[in-house]
Amino acid sequence: VKGNILLTLGNLAISEGNVDEALDYFGKSLDVADDEDFHARADAMRSIALAQLGAGKPDKAIAALEDVLEDLLNSDVVGNTVNLLTAEIWNCMAYVYRKVGDLGQAKNFAKLALQTYKADLGETNPVTLRNVSNLQLLLLEEAESLEKSEAKSIIDAAKFEMEETLEAFVSFDDPWTYRLDVASLKTNLGLVAIWQGKPKKARKLVRQIKEIELPPDHPLEHRVAVLEERLGELEKKKN
């Protein structure tokens, strides 16, 4: 319980921009965690890693996450719980590498996480589907740096996977719960439509996205703004 309180205090410090204070709380949370409580230790180390990333120290963030992975791999505990926790850390690694611009490494860790979620949760679990979506976003970002002829096959494959994933989320028939997943996928598909030179399709997706209620200051708002800006540029070229 004390460890969780310290993590909460650390997260509050992060929200207020006090990274050093947050790191102190996260460190104390790690100190009070039982040596056998790998979940509590992993939560503390993951928090430390993300705080280090926020402080502009990605090398320290990666080192902290590598320590967590080593602990998990050397743990006597086996089964679903440790597998899913390992996948979470792999996702954190993907996030850090994406932030520093190493899309190759980010993609590798995202694939490891996705394989685990598919095996332990099933291919239609919402967590698995979100990881499919995250991986496709990395592939799209990677394709942006390639020549159009090289990027086409990557973008076509990503588009197919995203359309399948969107269909799966819609099939849950719970539009409120999965609204952010749907909005994210439609945003990415809109960007694909722009890359393909299809402004009408992109505009239709933008209208659909606008009907979805996003939380204030949600990171997706920026991506939607990028979509609208690129769409405006494409429409001017077409007219």
Side-chain angles (χ1 to χ4, degrees):
V1 175
K2 186 177 181 181
N4 287 335
I5 293 172
L6 290 166
L7 286 179
T8 300
L9 290 171
N11 288 328
L12 286 172
I14 287 287
S15 68
E16 294 169 355
N18 300 321
V19 177
D20 289 339
E21 183 181 346
L23 284 168
D24 184 55
Y25 280 124
F26 295 148
K28 289 177 180 176
S29 177
L30 180 62
D31 290 340
V32 301
D34 190 283
D35 288 343
E36 302 303 316
D37 191 347
F38 63 91
H39 208 295
R41 294 182 64 80
D43 283 345
M45 288 296 288
R46 176 173 49 193
S47 296
I48 289 170
L50 294 177
Q52 293 285 15
L53 178 65
K57 300 174 181 176
D59 290 345
K60 288 188 175 182
I62 291 169
L65 293 171
E66 286 175 342
D67 286 345
V68 179
L69 289 172
E70 185 176 352
D71 288 345
L72 290 170
L73 290 172
N74 293 330
S75 170
D76 294 331
V77 182
V78 295
N80 182 276
T81 301
V82 72
N83 290 346
L84 294 177
L85 184 53
T86 301
E88 288 179 30
I89 302 302
W90 279 331
N91 266 337
C92 285
M93 291 287 272
Y95 177 77
V96 172
Y97 277 112
R98 181 189 176 202
K99 282 292 185 181
V100 299
D102 191 339
L103 292 178
Q105 279 286 62
K107 185 174 64 175
N108 291 338
F109 281 108
K111 285 181 177 179
L112 287 171
L114 178 57
Q115 287 171 0
T116 301
Y117 288 126
K118 283 183 175 181
D120 285 57
L121 298 178
E123 297 201 3
T124 58
N125 185 283
V127 174
T128 305
L129 293 172
R130 287 187 190 110
N131 277 268
V132 172
S133 179
N134 291 340
L135 176 58
Q136 302 318 309
L137 177 57
L138 288 172
L139 292 171
L140 288 178
E141 290 182 358
E142 187 178 49
E144 285 183 359
S145 64
L146 301 175
E147 294 293 329
K148 196 158 187 175
S149 57
E150 294 180 84
K152 186 179 184 305
S153 61
I154 296 174
I155 290 176
D156 287 346
K159 175 177 177 289
F160 174 80
E161 289 286 350
M162 288 189 293
E163 287 174 340
E164 292 280 301
T165 304
L166 176 59
E167 187 177 326
F169 274 118
V170 172
S171 72
F172 293 145
D173 198 23
D174 191 349
W176 178 254
T177 299
Y178 301 111
R179 70 192 187 284
L180 297 181
D181 300 292
V182 169
S184 178
L185 284 160
K186 287 188 175 184
T187 301
N188 293 335
L189 285 167
L191 290 167
V192 169
I194 288 170
W195 186 90
Q196 293 176 326
K198 299 178 178 178
K200 289 183 179 178
K201 185 170 184 179
R203 178 59 65 187
K204 180 180 179 181
L205 286 163
V206 167
R207 286 196 295 269
Q208 292 172 355
I209 295 163
K210 291 294 185 181
E211 293 173 357
I212 299 172
E213 184 178 338
L214 300 179
D217 301 320
H218 192 277
L220 187 57
E221 287 187 340
H222 172 70
R223 196 153 179 83
V224 174
V226 171
L227 168 60
E228 291 185 284
E229 181 182 351
R230 292 186 184 180
L231 175 57
E233 292 171 357
L234 178 60
E235 287 175 331
K236 285 180 181 178
K237 289 179 182 178
K238 292 283 185 178
N239 291 336

